[in-house]
Amino acid sequence: MDEIRVAIIDDHAIVRQGLRAMIDKEPDLRVVGEAPSARQATTMIERVRPRVVLLDLRLTADSECGGLSLCGTITQRYPDSRVLVLTSSVDEWLILESIKQGAKGFVLKDVDLTELVRAIRAVHRGESAFDSRSAGVVVRWMRGSKRPGAGTSDITPREREILALLARGLSNVAIGQRLYISSTTVKFHVGNLMQKLGARRRAEVVYAASKLGLI
């Protein structure tokens, strides 16, 4: 059986140690490198050339952007190292942005070992691997991307919160502060709302949402 070389990128040492202990028990998997940060990750990948990279998107306490940027760097610079996102947040924006940055899979940290190992092997084979929650997000996105506009059932609870704040004239930064998310995340959600509501500007989003009774 061919050995699958795995690298772990997570800012918590105890998480890396736990993952290593579990993964190394599998006869066909071997952890060949670890890194706690984006800077150290690229050096590690250059040295050990893993086939699968387990990547936590939140490499700093207050942002997932560093992890997303690193995901794009890995997939572009090291195409033989396939990224499997392993993180604690099921935010729709993170899932879709990870895919756009080249990730082959997305699973939450509360996944059981059997499912994680299955995902690692699938990504190594060049397949996609998503847990049930992230797979649902991907399916909805793929369906929605085939048609302009949407009904009220397509608007997520988070998007409804953002709509309410958009209607009050708040900026992306101000909305992010109110909802404890980054302005980049807000921008993504606003873009989704524009697509779903067939709008081109923020004011049109608010107008369309009010006609549908969303705000």
Side-chain angles (χ1 to χ4, degrees):
M1 186 180 296
D2 292 337
E3 181 181 76
I4 301 175
R5 296 162 57 82
V6 180
I8 302 168
I9 304 173
D10 193 293
D11 62 333
H12 293 98
I14 193 170
V15 173
R16 299 196 305 273
Q17 292 165 7
L19 287 171
R20 176 186 282 273
M22 291 187 295
I23 291 170
D24 280 345
K25 290 180 180 178
E26 299 297 319
D28 58 328
L29 306 181
R30 182 164 68 94
V31 175
V32 295
E34 301 176 14
S37 67
R39 181 180 59 81
Q40 295 180 49
T42 53
T43 302
M44 178 268 292
I45 293 172
E46 178 70 35
R47 185 180 73 255
V48 303
R49 297 302 174 109
R51 296 307 305 275
V52 178
V53 177
L54 294 181
L55 172 63
D56 183 8
L57 296 179
R58 188 179 284 273
L59 296 177
T60 59
D62 59 350
S63 176
E64 298 89 359
C65 294
L68 287 171
S69 177
L70 177 60
C71 180
T73 297
I74 293 171
T75 57
Q76 293 175 22
R77 192 179 300 176
Y78 308 102
D80 291 334
S81 296
R82 295 171 178 140
V83 174
L84 172 60
V85 171
L86 179 64
T87 194
S88 57
S89 174
V90 74
D91 192 295
E92 178 177 323
W93 173 74
L94 290 178
I95 297 169
L96 299 182
E97 197 63 27
S98 296
I99 296 170
K100 293 175 184 178
Q101 294 296 330
K104 295 297 184 184
F106 192 107
V107 295
L108 291 181
K109 284 183 175 178
D110 62 0
V111 68
D112 62 40
L113 178 60
T114 300
E115 190 171 353
L116 175 60
V117 169
R118 187 184 300 122
I120 291 173
R121 290 171 179 153
V123 168
H124 178 256
R125 292 192 300 266
E127 302 169 6
S128 297
F130 299 94
D131 62 21
S132 58
R133 284 163 290 186
S134 58
V137 171
V138 174
V139 169
R140 290 195 299 274
W141 172 63
M142 292 179 68
R143 288 174 178 170
S145 66
K146 295 177 182 178
R147 57 186 174 82
T152 59
S153 63
D154 293 300
I155 306 301
T156 68
R158 174 64 85 188
E159 288 169 346
R160 286 176 180 268
E161 291 179 321
I162 290 174
L163 277 172
L165 296 175
L166 278 177
R168 295 171 59 183
L170 272 66
S171 67
N172 288 353
V173 172
I175 293 172
Q177 291 171 344
R178 291 287 186 93
L179 299 179
Y180 301 101
I181 58 178
S182 70
S183 60
T184 305
T185 301
V186 176
K187 182 179 179 181
F188 173 82
H189 285 306
V190 172
N192 271 351
L193 285 166
M194 287 180 177
Q195 179 183 6
K196 290 178 179 181
L197 298 174
R200 292 175 296 176
R201 294 186 294 273
R202 294 163 69 95
E204 291 178 6
V205 168
V206 173
Y207 176 72
S210 64
K211 291 190 67 176
L212 290 171
L214 294 170
I215 52 177

